[in-house]
Amino acid sequence: MKILPPVAIGARRLLPSQWDVLAAVLVLGAIVLLADAGRQVVAPLATLKTHPVGLSPWLLPGYALRTTLRMLVAMAFSLLFTFTYATWAAKSERAGALLVPVLDILQSVPILSFISITYVFFMSLAPGQVLGAEFGAIFGIFTSQAWNMAFSFYQSLRTVPVELEEAGRVFGLSGWARFWRIEVPFGMPSLVWNMMMSMSGSWFFVVASEAFSVGNTSITLPGIGSYIALAIVHKDLAAIFYAIAAMAIVILIYDQLLFRPLVAWADRFRFDQEQMEEAPESWMLTVLRRSQLIDAAAKPFRTALRWSYRLSPPKQVALPGRKNPFVSRLADAAWYVVLVVLGLYSLWRAVTFIAAGVTWHDVFLATGLGFITMLRVFVLIAIASAIWTPVGIYVGLRPKLARFVQPVAQFLAAFPANLFYPVFVVAIVTWNLNADIWTSPLMILGTQWYILFNVIAGASGMPRDLRDAAANFQLKGWLWWRRVALPGVFPFYVTGAITA
């Protein structure tokens, strides 16, 4: 016989709790902000002239909202790019031989070198509307986020433990199900930290993305980036201070509402047999977990995702030994021949184009200057690694300290490095210093954080049993660093160093 619960209990479940009320307020507030921003996006392009960017501090909340929405939209496209491009590169040895070098080249190309071309393309998608300019700005921010996240996820997919892959095959999971149930959860802790780094690093490119010129046309989108650019032009130090304060508030807000919940949520996917002594916490994640409204709204998405696991029936994966080695080697040879042919054709086209307007003297000069720049980069990356690798390991192994360092590091990484340029110029001129040497440290201002964030992600994901084993064997000092700490974070460090 079915026993019904008391009326009081049933009624209590139907009534919204305090978590539902708080979640509803946050969701409705987000919807209102998105609707207001969407109304401004579809406005005619002429409105940017009639309502130009001003330096009043009361305009900063609206500018901060527009900039943050652009960064979040770019982050969504960066995640889509990461889950497709990085997965393809990691799953296919042949494709990875091409996609990984291309990704490395793309993340090394300065955004300012191609931003004008991309803006012309995106403006043509929505002529006469602000939407086209918004597309261009979002793409500029996307290029400052996607490469780092793709490298991180690629590294995670290449290091998925064999026992997890074998467990997925034993349970008969399809490739799609293994991707979402095993591989994405395994790479999520590292990806979340790289998302934070990408979000912070994109603040520097916001200045170039929101205020740009194409030919004789200058377009300035409302945002903190264009506000900073205008303040630099007018040499208004007070306005720059207001912009920095607004950045700090925005970083604190999305740290509490987005990244801190993601860090606490991703902790459940740590590949560890023992639970952390001090698991990360987030009040926002508590609200989302305890709200019945959020659970009801997310239920259709969970159901659809679980249903998608059945699209391809479970099937046994052929063992590597069953493949025909001759056919495999022949396919590899054909693929590499295609790559060599494409490379030679591209080289011939580049030489033909350069020879039309460039002398051999210019080629040798550019090569020599490029070598000097490469030497500067290597030296500065080595210095940044020596400083921030130990710091990242120390912070990553202490969750309480990581919760304090996280927003501080985000703000420092987001601080526009170009605001330091006048200070360096004044110092170099005042003390008559060698500019070839003393301008080099400016490179560290933006690159060092990639190393720090990745090392923190690696140290925080270090298995507890490995640390306990090191303690039982009384490994201390340099032996502990050489045998435990540095090998444990080395894959994450390589990802951060490549991006840096």
mmCIF file of all heavy atoms in Angstrom, residues 30 41 125 189 198 329 339 401 406 408 451:
data_model
loop_
_atom_site.group_PDB
_atom_site.id
_atom_site.type_symbol
_atom_site.label_atom_id
_atom_site.label_comp_id
_atom_site.label_asym_id
_atom_site.label_seq_id
_atom_site.Cartn_x
_atom_site.Cartn_y
_atom_site.Cartn_z
ATOM 1 N N ALA A 30 19.863 38.516 -14.631
ATOM 2 C CA ALA A 30 20.680 38.226 -15.807
ATOM 3 C C ALA A 30 19.879 38.378 -17.092
ATOM 4 O O ALA A 30 20.374 38.903 -18.097
ATOM 5 C CB ALA A 30 21.259 36.819 -15.707
ATOM 6 N N VAL A 41 22.428 46.333 -29.136
ATOM 7 C CA VAL A 41 23.240 45.716 -30.174
ATOM 8 C C VAL A 41 22.602 45.857 -31.554
ATOM 9 O O VAL A 41 23.300 46.048 -32.556
ATOM 10 C CB VAL A 41 23.474 44.226 -29.827
ATOM 11 C CG1 VAL A 41 23.965 43.458 -31.038
ATOM 12 C CG2 VAL A 41 24.486 44.107 -28.702
ATOM 13 N N LEU A 125 28.771 41.431 -42.377
ATOM 14 C CA LEU A 125 27.693 40.520 -42.010
ATOM 15 C C LEU A 125 26.443 41.257 -41.551
ATOM 16 O O LEU A 125 25.325 40.753 -41.719
ATOM 17 C CB LEU A 125 28.162 39.560 -40.901
ATOM 18 C CG LEU A 125 29.315 38.623 -41.245
ATOM 19 C CD1 LEU A 125 29.666 37.755 -40.047
ATOM 20 C CD2 LEU A 125 28.971 37.760 -42.450
ATOM 21 N N PRO A 189 39.052 20.326 -14.329
ATOM 22 C CA PRO A 189 39.775 21.177 -13.357
ATOM 23 C C PRO A 189 40.821 22.061 -14.013
ATOM 24 O O PRO A 189 40.912 23.266 -13.718
ATOM 25 C CB PRO A 189 40.409 20.150 -12.415
ATOM 26 C CG PRO A 189 39.504 18.961 -12.485
ATOM 27 C CD PRO A 189 39.063 18.906 -13.912
ATOM 28 N N SER A 198 42.252 32.922 -19.378
ATOM 29 C CA SER A 198 41.821 33.492 -20.657
ATOM 30 C C SER A 198 40.914 34.699 -20.442
ATOM 31 O O SER A 198 41.013 35.704 -21.161
ATOM 32 C CB SER A 198 41.096 32.423 -21.477
ATOM 33 O OG SER A 198 41.965 31.367 -21.805
ATOM 34 N N ARG A 329 50.350 2.196 -42.145
ATOM 35 C CA ARG A 329 51.564 2.915 -42.554
ATOM 36 C C ARG A 329 51.370 3.600 -43.896
ATOM 37 O O ARG A 329 51.871 4.712 -44.119
ATOM 38 C CB ARG A 329 52.741 1.943 -42.623
ATOM 39 C CG ARG A 329 53.258 1.498 -41.258
ATOM 40 C CD ARG A 329 54.641 0.882 -41.387
ATOM 41 N NE ARG A 329 54.598 -0.326 -42.200
ATOM 42 C CZ ARG A 329 54.441 -1.552 -41.714
ATOM 43 N NH1 ARG A 329 54.282 -1.726 -40.405
ATOM 44 N NH2 ARG A 329 54.426 -2.607 -42.519
ATOM 45 N N LEU A 339 50.781 16.803 -46.536
ATOM 46 C CA LEU A 339 51.257 17.924 -45.726
ATOM 47 C C LEU A 339 52.518 18.541 -46.310
ATOM 48 O O LEU A 339 52.671 19.775 -46.330
ATOM 49 C CB LEU A 339 51.521 17.440 -44.291
ATOM 50 C CG LEU A 339 50.311 17.015 -43.466
ATOM 51 C CD1 LEU A 339 50.736 16.651 -42.044
ATOM 52 C CD2 LEU A 339 49.256 18.116 -43.423
ATOM 53 N N LEU A 401 44.617 28.972 0.707
ATOM 54 C CA LEU A 401 45.416 30.032 0.097
ATOM 55 C C LEU A 401 45.010 30.247 -1.348
ATOM 56 O O LEU A 401 44.978 31.391 -1.823
ATOM 57 C CB LEU A 401 46.903 29.674 0.190
ATOM 58 C CG LEU A 401 47.894 30.701 -0.375
ATOM 59 C CD1 LEU A 401 47.765 32.025 0.372
ATOM 60 C CD2 LEU A 401 49.320 30.165 -0.270
ATOM 61 N N GLN A 406 43.204 33.385 -5.887
ATOM 62 C CA GLN A 406 42.477 33.309 -7.151
ATOM 63 C C GLN A 406 41.990 34.671 -7.650
ATOM 64 O O GLN A 406 42.343 35.073 -8.767
ATOM 65 C CB GLN A 406 41.314 32.338 -7.002
ATOM 66 C CG GLN A 406 40.427 32.200 -8.225
ATOM 67 C CD GLN A 406 39.287 31.247 -7.970
ATOM 68 O OE1 GLN A 406 39.413 30.258 -7.255
ATOM 69 N NE2 GLN A 406 38.134 31.547 -8.559
ATOM 70 N N VAL A 408 42.886 37.685 -6.669
ATOM 71 C CA VAL A 408 44.018 38.610 -6.768
ATOM 72 C C VAL A 408 44.792 38.359 -8.056
ATOM 73 O O VAL A 408 45.146 39.290 -8.795
ATOM 74 C CB VAL A 408 44.939 38.476 -5.544
ATOM 75 C CG1 VAL A 408 46.170 39.361 -5.694
ATOM 76 C CG2 VAL A 408 44.185 38.835 -4.266
ATOM 77 N N ILE A 451 51.781 30.733 -16.900
ATOM 78 C CA ILE A 451 52.543 29.729 -16.161
ATOM 79 C C ILE A 451 51.951 29.539 -14.771
ATOM 80 O O ILE A 451 51.753 28.405 -14.308
ATOM 81 C CB ILE A 451 54.024 30.137 -16.083
ATOM 82 C CG1 ILE A 451 54.630 30.176 -17.489
ATOM 83 C CG2 ILE A 451 54.808 29.207 -15.182
ATOM 84 C CD1 ILE A 451 56.054 30.670 -17.533
#
